[in-house]
C-alpha cells in the first residue's frame, strides 16, 4: 500500500488566501483555481473585475499543471520550440500561469491563475503555493 500526502481544505484555503493577497497587492483582477493531483477542482474564485474567460483558463491551467506535474510555462515552451503535435494533447491549457503543488517530489495538486500577463498569473500561483510550502 502506498501512503501519500494530499491537500486538505485548510491547505486549499491557505493557498487561495495567499494567491488573492498577491493579486490584490498588485491590483490584478484574476481568477484562481486549485485542483487535486487528478486535476479535479477543489477551489475556484474570480476576483471582482476579472475577465470572464479567465474562469475557464485558470481551471485549465491548474488541471494541466496537475496532469503534467510541471509548470504550464514548460508546456507552452514545448509548443513554442516547434513541437506542434503537443497541441493535440486533450484538456491542457498550454499557457504560463499554472503551477504544480509538489511535496517531496510528488505532485499533490495544481494552481492556475488567469487574468493578467502570463508571468503575473504565475507569480500569483507561486505565492499561493509558497504560503503552503514555505
Amino acid at each position: 500500500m502506498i501512503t501519500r500526502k494530499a491537500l486538505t481544505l485548510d491547505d486549499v484555503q491557505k493557498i487561495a488566501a495567499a494567491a488573492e493577497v498577491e493579486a490584490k497587492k498588485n491590483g490584478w483582477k484574476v481568477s484562481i483555481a486549485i485542483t487535486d493531483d487528478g486535476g479535479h477542482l477543489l477551489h475556484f474564485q474570480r476576483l471582482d473585475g476579472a475577465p470572464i474567460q479567465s474562469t475557464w483558463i485558470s481551471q485549465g491551467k491548474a488541471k494541466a499543471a496537475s496532469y503534467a506535474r510541471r509548470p504550464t510555462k514548460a508546456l507552452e515552451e514545448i509548443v513554442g520550440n516547434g513541437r506542434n503535435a503537443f497541441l493535440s494533447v486533450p484538456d491542457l491549457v498550454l499557457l504560463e500561469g499554472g503551477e504544480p503543488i509538489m511535496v517531496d517530489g510528488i505532485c499533490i495538486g495544481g494552481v492556475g491563475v488567469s487574468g493578467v500577463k502570463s508571468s503575473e498569473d504565475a507569480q500569483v500561483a507561486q505565492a499561493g503555493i509558497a504560503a503552503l510550502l514555505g
Side-chain angles (χ1 to χ4, degrees):
M1 178 180 295
I2 297 174
T3 302
R4 63 175 184 80
K5 295 183 180 188
L7 291 169
T8 65
L9 179 58
D10 286 342
D11 295 335
V12 170
Q13 290 172 335
K14 184 181 282 187
I15 294 166
E20 180 179 348
V21 165
E22 182 69 16
K24 286 184 173 180
K25 175 181 81 175
N26 291 288
W28 297 333
K29 299 170 181 173
V30 299
S31 290
I32 303 163
I34 303 169
T35 62
D36 65 13
D37 62 327
H40 304 100
L41 189 63
L42 298 175
H43 176 86
F44 174 78
Q45 67 189 84
R46 183 173 149 223
L47 302 184
D48 292 340
I52 292 170
Q53 70 271 18
S54 68
T55 300
W56 180 84
I57 295 170
S58 63
Q59 293 177 47
K61 288 178 179 183
K63 183 189 279 190
S66 295
Y67 285 174
R69 274 73 170 132
R70 65 180 79 177
T72 53
K73 180 179 182 179
L75 306 177
E76 183 178 0
E77 290 172 348
I78 290 170
V79 175
N81 290 330
R83 182 98 197 276
N84 293 331
F86 199 72
L87 292 169
S88 66
V89 177
D91 274 346
L92 295 185
V93 174
L94 307 175
L95 300 170
E96 182 177 5
E99 298 288 329
I101 305 166
M102 304 295 292
V103 176
D104 300 328
I106 304 295
C107 181
I108 63 168
V111 179
V113 178
S114 179
V116 287
K117 289 192 275 186
S118 291
S119 60
E120 295 166 347
D121 291 341
Q123 180 180 328
V124 172
Q126 291 163 1
I129 294 168
L132 177 67
L133 304 180

